[in-house]
């Protein structure tokens, strides 16, 4: 039995894609997954191009794998994901020992490509965008946990000035509503209790129903909530531009939708948002949050921030800090701006020294961490409904699970509780970890 090794970088979409690749090769083509690259017959690198120097990171990894191929020339090396889509033929030029290049939308063609390489000993590249073809030719999880990620759409139409996603994953295309509901129903039958809907812009979802009508995101959320066995719903990532009132109203009447939202804002300066081509203002963003708090008073918000974007002054950065304080974010993913070739932002003048950018990032992250700790301390003594996911990674004598607001809680309990929701009283709080006790 041939063995595959997959190394995955990037977002949850990439993790989801790697699961589909694994299932495709194992269930339909007889491969077996290994965690040891030296034992693999096929080495697959599923890449991400969001951060700076993503390409160099890929070639450094390929250089390490080249040594394995020098020892065993029958090893097949495949590069997929967003860097593969962005770089294409350049990968073959710089690493002529690579056998296959495939994009995020052509991963389902990988078995056929592997067969062609084995038979003809030729390099193959397919980074086309055949819309939703991959979902019709792949299956979901074989090994089921109690929480699952479901991709409901692919691509992005926003073309933010700093982002490569529209170029690497294509334009927005939504999966048919009934396909999504069927997949989630199957997962629920296998014991999944929590669903996380995935997409570059999930709230832009417009999938067709069986009778040819359009199902919008708010309606999809309500339909998922009707599925027996699914008790908790999350989604990521959404765009403020399309966070409409009908979605906000779902928070009013659908308790299965968690009181936690990740809504990227990127900057607290309207000038920078305009340069980013985000197409909304901080005032518009704030009004969304105010509406959400009105219908779900206990909701907590996390966000994304880019620090040191071209043109960001000290005044712009201060506006971001002020906005963080105004919204009172719970947590964030924050990064120094990464220059991405081919994006409009890469042509902008950037005069801010890297040391200043690092300083700003430290200040922003320290600010957010303080707020995260405050939110965690508010949970002390509270009763939290926790989905128990398994044995704690830090203490095999304890169990671990997640609260509705995405905090990890460890506690002493019976293994019979795994896969169930358990009410816990929070006894200790740390920034990102809680200690609980069974009621």
């Amino acid at each position: 039995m041939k063995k595959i090794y997959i190394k995955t970088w990037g977002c949850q979409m990439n993790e989801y894609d790697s699961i589909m690749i694994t299932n495709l090769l194992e269930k339909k083509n007889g491969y077996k997954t290994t965690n040891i690259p030296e034992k693999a017959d096929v080495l697959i690198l599923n890449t991400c191009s969001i951060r700076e120097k993503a390409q160099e990171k890929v070639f450094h990894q390929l250089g390490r794998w080249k040594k394995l191929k020098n020892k065993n020339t029958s090893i097949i090396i495949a590069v997929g994901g967003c860097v593969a889509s962005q770089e294409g033929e350049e990968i073959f030029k710089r690493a002529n020992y690579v056998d296959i290049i495939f994009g995020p939308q052509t991963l389902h063609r990988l078995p056929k490509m592997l067969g062609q390489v084995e038979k003809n000993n030729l390099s193959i590249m397919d980074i086309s965008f055949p819309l939703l073809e991959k979902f019709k030719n792949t299956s979901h999880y074989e090994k089921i946990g109690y929480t699952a990620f479901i991709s409901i759409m692919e691509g992005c139409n926003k073309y933010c000035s700093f982002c490569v996603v529209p170029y690497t994953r294509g334009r927005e295309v939504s999966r048919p509503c009934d396909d999504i509901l069927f997949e989630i129903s199957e997962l629920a039958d296998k014991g999944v209790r929590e669903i996380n809907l995935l997409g570059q812009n999930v709230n832009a979802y417009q999938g067709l129903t069986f009778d040819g009508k359009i199902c919008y995101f708010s309606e999809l959320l309500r339909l998922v909530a009707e599925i027996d066995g699914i008790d908790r719903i999350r989604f990521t990532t959404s765009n403020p531009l399309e966070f409409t009132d009908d979605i906000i109203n779902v928070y009013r009447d659908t308790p299965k939708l968690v009181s936690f939202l990740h809504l990227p804002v990127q900057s607290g300066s309207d000038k920078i948002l305009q340069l980013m081509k985000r197409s909304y203002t901080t005032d518009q963003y704030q009004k969304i949050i105010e509406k959400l708090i009105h219908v779900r008073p206990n909701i907590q918000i996390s966000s994304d921030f880019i620090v040191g974007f071209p043109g960001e002054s000290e005044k712009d950065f201060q506006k971001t800090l002020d906005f963080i304080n105004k919204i009172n974010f719970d947590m964030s993913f924050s990064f120094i701006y990464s220059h991405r070739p081919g994006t409009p932002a890469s042509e902008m003048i950037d005069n801010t020294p890297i040391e200043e950018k690092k300083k700003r990032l430290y200040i922003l992250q320290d600010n957010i961490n303080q707020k995260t700790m405050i939110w965690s301390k508010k949970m002390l003594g509270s009763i939290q409904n926790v989905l128990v996911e398994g044995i704690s990674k830090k203490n095999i004598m304890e169990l671990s699970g997640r609260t509705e607001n995405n905090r990890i809680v460890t506690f002493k309990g019976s293994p019979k509780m795994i896969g169930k929701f358990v009410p816990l009283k929070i006894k200790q709080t740390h920034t990102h970890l809680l200690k609980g006790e069974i009621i």
Side-chain angles (χ1 to χ4, degrees), residues 74-93:
S74 65
I75 288 177
I76 295 176
I77 298 178
V79 181
C82 291
V83 172
S85 182
Q86 188 176 22
E87 294 296 300
E89 287 279 359
E90 190 64 27
I91 295 175
F92 284 145
K93 292 178 182 177

Side-chain angles (χ1 to χ4, degrees), residues 334-369:
S334 49
F335 311 95
I336 292 174
Y337 164 73
S338 291
H339 170 94
R340 307 311 300 126
T343 60
S346 66
E347 305 297 324
M348 297 178 183
I349 298 174
D350 185 3
N351 293 325
T352 306
I354 185 61
E355 290 305 317
E356 175 62 24
K357 292 181 180 182
K358 290 179 180 179
K359 175 185 173 184
R360 291 178 188 177
L361 181 64
Y362 174 82
I363 293 171
L364 185 146
Q365 290 181 338
D366 183 62
N367 186 313
I368 291 284
N369 285 337

Side-chain angles (χ1 to χ4, degrees), residues 9 57 59-68 97:
W9 290 329
K57 184 178 178 182
F59 289 114
H60 288 160
Q61 180 61 54
L62 291 176
R64 289 188 282 271
W65 284 357
K66 180 183 180 181
K67 296 176 182 178
L68 297 180
Y97 47 89

